[in-house]
Amino acid sequence: MNQQKSFESERATLYIVATPIGNLSELTPRAKEILENADVIAAEDTRNTMKLLSHFQIDTRLIAHHKFNESASSKGIVSLLREGKSVAVVSDAGYPLISDPGSELVQEVIEAGYPVVPVSGSNAMLNALVASGLSPQPFLFYGFLPSNERQRIRELQTLRHYPMTLVFYEAPHRIEKMLNNCLEVLGDRPMCLARELTKKHEEFLRGTIQEVLPVAATRKGEMVVIIAGDEEKKAPDVTQAMPLIKEHIQSYVSEGMTTNEAIKRVARERGMSKNEIYKEYHGLN
Ligand code: SAM
């Protein structure tokens, strides 16, 4: 067990600082103070963060921490903590770790025994969810679906019977294809596209997928897509909505997966081992 009392520790600390997703007024006074007082700021893109720091006249030393150097830089940050230096980690916008680098760093720092403290702020998924008009709880945050269409369809097939509201990030050049895939796989459900949150051109498109799709295809900017869960599977216990193991595998095989791929997918969805599923499917139990 690892117990952390964030406000009682004198140890050097890693702060996870959320930065504005558009509107700079959303940087909280606490975030500003932490960025000013940290010994080092680890930034996803130092040039981008430099603009934020200049705006708030903060001159804390910057180092790079991005997906291409995450392992090496996480070790470097742990060394800084060992020297007694506190580090604030930021991404380009919103929360680090949320479709952004940082999760390896957090794990390393916890393992090394230093406090990891979150500093609240803006985040695209929650802003979109609360204003979407769709059921906010329970929800499943997926982030970006795969850019490969075949893989994207497979992921959507996995999600299709989930009763919880689904939340995705998407790039504007893929939005039309993505929503078409959602329509094909999930059916015509209520959805909301939230774009340019907190910025001058903030906009919400609420309706069914079929209604929103043609308008969404004309839009640019940063986007969050929220789609209602499977109305027929409102039961909170997802496993109760699950078919028998054999039927579950066969449904994927009939959609074009090999038996092995289907076994792997079903094992993941049911939280069981591939071996258990394999034995059940082949009647070896
Ligand atoms: N870490 C960020 C967060 O906490 O929301 C997300 C980073 S992710 C790399 C960037 C994606 O988040 C964008 O492609 C878009 O889907 C979503 N996003 C970020 N800012 C947004 C905004 N102002 N309005 C709508 N979506 C936004």
Side-chain angles (χ1 to χ4, degrees):
M1 197 193 83
N2 171 302
Q3 186 181 14
Q4 172 184 318
K5 293 264 195 184
S6 300
F7 289 89
E8 289 174 23
S9 170
E10 308 238 308
R11 307 200 75 189
T13 296
L14 176 73
Y15 295 97
I16 314 289
V17 182
T19 55
I21 58 167
N23 195 321
L24 289 188
S25 316
E26 291 202 337
L27 190 79
T28 66
R30 181 174 180 227
K32 181 169 177 276
E33 189 185 316
I34 300 250
L35 293 176
E36 274 164 352
N37 295 336
D39 294 293
V40 175
I41 296 173
E44 184 182 10
D45 178 340
T46 50
R47 276 176 308 177
N48 190 58
T49 299
M50 184 63 87
K51 289 184 205 149
L52 178 79
L53 299 188
S54 312
H55 181 87
F56 290 100
Q57 294 165 351
I58 298 170
D59 60 3
T60 306
R61 184 182 143 212
L62 275 171
I63 59 169
H65 176 77
H66 46 70
K67 65 177 173 188
F68 303 109
N69 77 349
E70 187 159 6
S71 286
S73 110
S74 296
K75 290 189 177 45
I77 291 170
V78 170
S79 304
L80 288 169
L81 295 169
R82 290 211 169 97
E83 288 167 22
K85 299 201 161 95
S86 281
V87 179
V89 63
V90 297
S91 63
D92 280 351
Y95 270 98
L97 281 79
I98 302 299
S99 292
D100 270 340
S103 81
E104 196 175 329
L105 173 63
V106 166
Q107 280 164 25
E108 293 246 359
V109 170
I110 291 171
E111 234 164 71
Y114 292 91
V116 174
V117 173
V119 181
S120 313
S122 199
N123 154 261
M125 126 180 85
L126 283 179
N127 276 334
L129 183 65
V130 296
S132 66
L134 297 171
S135 174
Q137 285 171 236
F139 74 91
L140 183 143
F141 172 63
Y142 189 94
F144 291 98
L145 282 162
S147 52
N148 173 287
E149 189 167 22
R150 206 162 148 250
Q151 288 170 8
R152 187 160 65 230
I153 289 173
R154 285 214 177 145
E155 286 307 301
L156 287 167
Q157 284 166 342
T158 306
L159 301 172
R160 130 181 98 177
H161 294 308
Y162 283 20
M164 50 287 233
T165 302
L166 306 170
V167 186
F168 303 98
Y169 286 163
E170 194 47 279
H173 65 276
R174 272 201 300 262
I175 191 69
E176 189 174 3
K177 272 201 167 163
M178 183 261 196
L179 288 180
N180 264 314
N181 296 149
C182 290
L183 186 60
E184 281 161 39
V185 179
L186 307 176
D188 193 19
R189 301 185 186 180
M191 69 158 288
C192 171
L193 183 140
R195 56 179 283 274
E196 294 292 274
L197 290 158
T198 78
K199 304 185 209 173
K200 191 172 164 207
H201 298 293
E202 179 176 285
E203 181 182 33
F204 295 90
L205 302 173
R206 305 182 180 97
T208 68
I209 301 179
Q210 230 163 13
E211 287 165 347
V212 171
L213 209 163
V215 188
T218 67
R219 297 298 197 265
K220 300 222 173 330
E222 300 199 279
M223 301 175 168
V224 183
V225 172
I226 317 250
I227 301 183
D230 183 352
E231 284 295 316
E232 287 166 21
K233 301 277 162 45
K234 279 282 182 222
D237 182 356
V238 191
T239 55
Q240 282 182 9
M242 292 258 186
L244 294 172
I245 287 176
K246 267 196 172 174
E247 288 171 15
H248 201 165
I249 291 171
Q250 272 155 1
S251 71
Y252 284 131
V253 171
S254 66
E255 282 160 11
M257 280 193 199
T258 65
T259 310
N260 272 346
E261 284 171 337
I263 287 175
K264 215 166 133 191
R265 169 60 61 88
V266 168
R268 201 171 83 202
E269 285 175 18
R270 301 176 90 102
M272 292 168 73
S273 75
K274 274 186 291 180
N275 201 23
E276 280 174 290
I277 298 285
Y278 179 88
K279 282 188 180 159
E280 183 72 34
Y281 183 68
H282 291 288
L284 301 175
N285 274 333

